[in-house]
Amino acid sequence: MTAPVLQAAKHLAKRSGWSLSNLQLQKILYLAHMFHLGRTGGEPLVTGCFQAWDYGPVHPVLYHRAKVFGADPVENIFHDQASLPAGAVRDILDEAWDSLKGVTAAGLVAATHREGGAWSRHYRPRSRGVIIPDQDILAEYQQI
C-alpha cells in the first residue's frame, strides 16, 4: 500500500513530538521510502516522487507545505490529513523513526548524499524538478 505523502509526514512529525525540521522530515521520509522499496521489491511508500535538490532528496509536496517553518520544527500543519491506519506503511515509518531519531540533521544529509547514490546521480546544482527514479533509489538500497 502506498500512503499519501502528507499522511506519512504527519505520522513521522507526530512520532517526533513535532520536533523535526523540514530537512529532517524530508530525509527520514526518503530513507523510509528507500527501505520500503527495498523490502517490497520496488513498491513505493508514498505518493509522488522525490527530487534531487541542493540540500538532498526532497518531496516537493511536503516541502511546499512545510517551508514556512524554515529550519525550525514543523508544527502540526497536517490537520486536513487523516492518521495513517495500522499496517506496513506505518510500521516502516515507525521503524525509520526509531532507527534515525538520534541522528543529527548533518548525519541525515550525509546518509542521503552518498557518492554514487540515487540523489548524487541525479543532482544538478541549483536545479529543481529533477526526479530521482524509484528504481535508482531501490538500486542504492541494494548496494548498502
Side-chain angles (χ1 to χ4, degrees), residues 9-21 24-25 28 73-74 97 101:
K10 176 181 181 176
H11 184 78
L12 277 175
K14 187 175 181 180
R15 279 290 316 270
S16 79
W18 305 101
S19 66
L20 296 173
S21 68
Q24 292 169 304
L25 192 54
I28 293 172
V74 174
W97 169 248
K101 64 184 172 189

Side-chain angles (χ1 to χ4, degrees), residues 79-91:
H79 298 290
D80 61 333
Q81 300 297 312
S83 295
L84 279 176
V89 170
R90 198 164 92 183
D91 291 348

Side-chain angles (χ1 to χ4, degrees), residues 19-39:
S19 66
L20 296 173
S21 68
N22 192 356
L23 183 140
Q24 292 169 304
L25 192 54
Q26 292 280 351
K27 303 312 170 243
I28 293 172
L29 188 60
Y30 177 79
L31 291 168
H33 182 74
M34 181 186 290
F35 301 158
H36 192 264
L37 287 167
R39 292 178 184 173

